[in-house]
Amino acid sequence: QVQLVESGGGLVQAGGSLRLSCAASGRTFIGYRMGWFRGKEREFVAHISWSGNITIYTDSVKGRFTISRDNAKNTVYLQMNSLKPEDTAAYYCAAGRPTGWRTRKDAYNYWGQGAQVTVSS
């Protein structure tokens, strides 16, 4: 029954924008941190706490990406602006209890299926 369903991926030119969405099971994920990871190794991209008060980003996306969440809609977002070809990857939404390192994939228990983002030059 636990599901994370991603949408919003696609193909854009360098400098363009995309907005990823991840719809979650609201009751299951009460109190959970949410994160976005990308690529074969599930590299950390962004994190947001349950309340939204704590957000962190990997250095390569700071100033370009914004993570947010709407708990009433059971949804977390990743707004990606000024996209670069090196941002090309499958992006994975993840959820976990607020324990462990926020930037490590092993701190998250539930994962989306991945949304492909391709940035052309």
Side-chain angles (χ1 to χ4, degrees):
Q1 185 177 347
V2 175
Q3 289 186 323
L4 297 173
V5 181
E6 300 170 345
S7 62
L11 173 64
V12 297
Q13 293 185 346
S17 298
L18 284 173
R19 181 181 171 92
L20 301 181
S21 298
C22 175
S25 174
R27 189 170 185 83
T28 298
F29 296 110
I30 292 174
Y32 277 60
R33 60 176 47 152
M34 301 293 295
W36 289 94
F37 298 77
R38 69 186 181 187
K40 293 181 291 185
E41 302 299 323
R42 308 298 191 267
E43 305 274 6
F44 173 74
V45 176
H47 155 96
I48 188 167
S49 63
W50 165 250
S51 68
N53 289 341
I54 301 173
T55 58
I56 53 175
Y57 302 89
T58 193
D59 286 344
S60 63
V61 308
K62 287 180 179 177
R64 299 189 297 119
F65 290 11
T66 303
I67 188 171
S68 62
R69 67 192 298 168
D70 185 340
N71 290 339
K73 296 182 178 180
N74 306 320
T75 302
V76 63
Y77 305 94
L78 186 67
Q79 178 68 46
M80 302 181 292
N81 298 327
S82 302
L83 282 162
K84 304 175 180 179
E86 50 263 45
D87 295 317
T88 295
Y91 284 70
Y92 300 87
C93 174
R97 283 288 188 181
T99 59
W101 293 102
R102 294 172 300 193
T103 61
R104 289 180 59 88
K105 61 186 179 183
D106 57 11
Y108 298 81
N109 305 110
Y110 304 98
W111 293 83
Q113 79 285 356
Q116 181 65 39
V117 172
T118 302
V119 185
S120 64
S121 59

